[in-house]
Amino acid sequence: MNHTKNFLTANFLTANFLTANFLRAGSLEAAVASARFAQALPAYADEFGQLDISPESWTDVPLLTKEQLIEGVTDAAPYGRRLGADLADIAWVFVAPGPIFMPFTASDIDALAERFAGTFRSCGFTSSDVVDQTTLYNWVIAGTILGKALEKVGATAVPGGSGDTQRHIEVIEGLGVTAILAFPTFLVHLLDTAAAQGRTLPLKRAIVMGELHDPREKDRIQREYGVSVREFYGTADVGPVAAECGVEPGMHLREDVFVEFVNPRTGEPVTGASASEPAELVVTDPVRRAMPIVRLRTGDLVDSVTAEPCACGTATPRIGRIVGRVGDITKVKGMFVVPGSVKSVLLRHRLVTKYQLVVSRDAGRDTLVLRVEGSRPGGWDRILDEVSHTLRVRCESEFVERIEGDAILLDQRTT
Ligand SMILES: [Zn+2]
């Protein structure tokens, strides 16, 4: 599908989301204000130089990588060279792996909690819900910020935290918990464990951070357990970025984060994305001041963006699946291949199986083989053609009993 064409024909949407030939969501003015604020801080000052930051010059603002963000912190312990608040105004510090100390002012935290609360409301949580929050509380931001967000929704929060499945089951049953916040794998594990014990849990809604491995699980969970599941996508740095509305496929971008899309190889802004040409998400936090986040490359690749109207009435564009990380991209026969794109094709044919792309070199030429676990399904030739078309590289296939490990790319080229 040609998404560029969709944008250009839908003029009223073009005006909002596609300006100066790049695709975005959120307030550019707020992003500019954040970047101007950041420009006064040593690390950003080095990177931005004397650039006159304005909506017109926005795409000239240098992109920030996660590595740069971490370096900027470790250079000048404990908070680094992007600290934008007086020490007395730092209300919370979270400890991310590294360890990296992540400072927040009270208003930074409040705005982030509001962003999560908005996401929860859009995913169907209400003030009547009793919610088991099943992610980690110690050190990291998760438990604290999700708890604050639930309070803003007006829901009753139960700080269950991570692990201890049996205790979660007993509390959910005993207290009449109606909703749950969880990682996808934990949700599936919890529901299946309860069912194996012959228990029927009172849960009605679940919000999961990330994608269920198998999209059909969502239907199964609804059918077998009566729980409706919504997925959202977010990053540790800016919180929720997009969430499912449950009406049409994809996740609506939030308007309270500034989101852009770039070509993962060149960093240039793009006007759309596809399975063959995934786009990298770039985020700017419009309000955070203790450690401003400006044009941060998330490293996450998305296989579609559409601004076509959604029946739910939300106007923001929807992104498709996260098909992988920038680091997964590899060059085969002169083409850049995104191994995660194969999954999109397989899912279209309702094939959920483990696979691995094997790149080798034979007589100086690259060869690409799609190794698939299990037996050859009907109509495979057509599916394989579609995979080749998506990757833009001719791909052979082989079926094996078992694929070891989780790597979806095995590069056997030695030169
Ligand atoms: Zn929608």
Side-chain angles (χ1 to χ4, degrees), residues 245 247-248 252 310-314 318:
C245 64
V247 176
E248 291 190 39
H252 285 283
C310 180
C312 77
T314 306
R318 280 168 288 149

Side-chain angles (χ1 to χ4, degrees), residues 39-221:
Q39 198 169 22
L41 311 175
Y44 279 115
D46 289 350
E47 290 147 10
F48 294 179
Q50 298 300 311
L51 179 68
D52 180 13
I53 300 170
S54 68
E56 291 70 35
S57 68
W58 180 255
T59 54
D60 295 330
V61 175
L63 294 167
L64 176 70
T65 64
K66 189 79 182 180
E67 290 72 27
Q68 282 173 302
L69 191 64
I70 292 168
E71 278 164 20
V73 173
T74 47
D75 279 1
Y79 297 119
R81 302 172 68 238
R82 294 181 205 274
L83 182 66
D86 290 337
L87 294 180
D89 291 333
I90 295 175
W92 288 86
V93 181
F94 299 100
V95 183
I100 304 293
F101 304 119
M102 297 167 62
F104 288 82
T105 65
S107 62
D108 288 347
I109 276 290
D110 191 61
L112 188 56
E114 191 52 63
R115 204 174 292 157
F116 273 104
T119 303
F120 296 166
R121 288 189 203 101
S122 77
C123 288
F125 278 18
T126 72
S127 58
S128 308
D129 278 315
V130 180
V131 186
D132 183 5
Q133 197 299 101
T134 71
T135 69
L136 197 64
Y137 278 87
N138 335 21
W139 302 116
V140 299
I141 193 168
T144 300
I145 198 71
L146 299 180
K148 283 176 178 287
L150 288 173
E151 198 174 345
K152 282 181 182 289
V153 170
T156 305
V158 184
S162 62
D164 205 348
T165 308
Q166 195 55 37
R167 195 159 180 196
H168 280 285
I169 290 172
E170 281 157 18
V171 170
I172 289 168
E173 195 176 42
L175 189 60
V177 170
T178 58
I180 186 168
L181 280 173
F183 285 106
T185 45
F186 185 70
L187 176 70
V188 173
H189 168 70
L190 179 91
L191 293 171
D192 289 345
T193 305
Q197 295 171 0
R199 297 176 191 243
T200 304
L201 298 179
L203 287 174
K204 293 283 169 262
R205 281 171 284 288
I207 297 179
V208 294
M209 284 146 270
E211 291 171 337
L212 288 158
H213 168 66
D214 178 351
R216 290 176 303 184
E217 282 284 78
K218 207 178 290 175
D219 295 336
R220 180 181 76 91
I221 290 170

Side-chain angles (χ1 to χ4, degrees), residues 331-337 366-368 384-385 387-396:
K331 205 170 183 181
V332 181
K333 297 185 188 178
M335 303 301 283
F336 289 96
V337 165
D366 289 342
T367 60
L368 186 62
L384 186 63
D385 278 347
V387 170
S388 296
H389 180 76
T390 298
L391 298 177
R392 292 171 307 172
V393 175
R394 185 67 226 166
C395 191
E396 303 300 322

Side-chain angles (χ1 to χ4, degrees), residues 212-288:
L212 288 158
H213 168 66
D214 178 351
R216 290 176 303 184
E217 282 284 78
K218 207 178 290 175
D219 295 336
R220 180 181 76 91
I221 290 170
Q222 175 75 64
R223 195 175 58 244
E224 292 183 11
Y225 305 129
V227 178
S228 87
V229 182
R230 299 279 181 80
E231 298 168 349
F232 79 90
Y233 162 77
T235 79
D237 305 287
V238 300
V241 170
E244 287 186 310
C245 64
V247 176
E248 291 190 39
M251 290 185 274
H252 285 283
L253 292 168
R254 293 196 59 75
E255 283 196 280
D256 49 10
V257 191
F258 188 72
V259 184
E260 304 163 71
F261 299 86
V262 300
N263 179 317
R265 299 187 305 279
T266 65
E268 290 299 315
V270 293
T271 54
S274 67
S276 299
E277 289 277 3
E280 180 181 358
L281 285 147
V282 170
V283 293
T284 297
D285 191 313
V287 290
R288 189 163 155 195

